[in-house]
Amino acid sequence: MSSGVVQVAGEVIANRRVGAYHHLTLVAPGVAELAHPGQFVALAVGGPTSANLLRRCFSLHKVKPSGTYGGTVDVVVAAHGPGTQWLTGLSAHDAVDVVGPLGRPFPLPAEPVACVLVGGGYGSAPLFWLAEELRARGCHVEIVLGAASEDRLFGVVEARRSADGVTVTTDDGSAGRRGWVSDVLGDVIDRTSAGVVYACGPMGMLRSVTDVAQAHGAVAQVAVEESMACGVGVCMTCVMPVTGNDGVTRMVRSCVEGPVFRGDRVRWDAIEGGITRVPDDALGAPRPGGH
């Protein structure tokens, strides 16, 4: 966890449409000063009289600790349900209650090492800030961006500013190379002798990225996309099986122990089709005949 978390009355500064997504800039005093790449914020939705009690969680795209309006944070939102539709409909000066920064950030290497950053859809949002931090440490950085189609990509132009090399894939071939990020990742790792792969996106993509990274001798650090209703470890909606240093699998909270995990520690075999089950060998798993 970060050293501090704050709850603040935020304000929308800008709401820009970017392809299939909305890019929101919020004044959130105190959040930007504490944040690190890979962390997220939890936003209240629907206004003070809303029946939408649960917050919506979003990776931090970028932060600016000081500026004209004070500290600002940027998030990328895809309008799916009522909560995200409300957020994407906000205008300048509208109020949003913000809690953050939350979660465990991406670990940064102590020494310069080649890194590959992989983003699926708007899962790429936290990677550009991460790329800047890595390059400041002397790391060679490549970015691989993938999506179903060109309008679902996020940040291709920004990636070219933030990285030493960019590779784009789309399922339908409408931009870049036709196929998945996992189709090109192995070649990028080999070409750059990368030691670390950072990834954020759908769970299926994170599993394949982990497999490719392992096969090519790199460590995967993945920011998982589990449904987080509270963001602070209370509600238990985001638990998933992760193996610890002692080899024991435990059901851990993505929002507190994550969202960043070593890919080879996540029990991908227990996550399928958006459903996460408790592995039979997990600590505390139900036993036949138990209650």
Side-chain angles (χ1 to χ4, degrees), residues 87-199:
L87 282 169
T88 57
L90 294 174
S91 302
H93 306 302
D94 284 344
V96 182
D97 190 274
V98 182
V99 173
L102 299 166
R104 193 174 72 90
F106 288 113
L108 301 178
E111 302 291 335
V113 60
C115 303
V116 184
L117 282 50
V118 185
Y122 71 114
S124 62
L127 299 182
F128 312 107
W129 179 21
L130 173 63
E132 292 169 7
E133 295 277 328
L134 291 169
R135 291 181 84 185
R137 288 170 172 253
C139 297
H140 177 90
V141 175
E142 300 262 340
I143 293 180
V144 179
L145 300 178
S149 54
E150 184 173 17
D151 68 314
R152 294 279 165 187
L153 291 165
F154 178 80
V156 175
V157 174
E158 192 169 358
R160 294 191 173 118
R161 289 196 299 264
S162 305
D164 298 295
V166 180
T167 305
V168 174
T169 70
T170 49
D171 297 1
D172 63 0
S174 54
R177 176 169 161 177
R178 180 189 292 271
W180 297 342
V181 293
S182 52
D183 297 334
V184 301
L185 178 57
D187 291 340
V188 177
I189 294 172
D190 292 344
R191 173 170 54 78
T192 60
S193 300
V196 186
V197 175
Y198 296 94

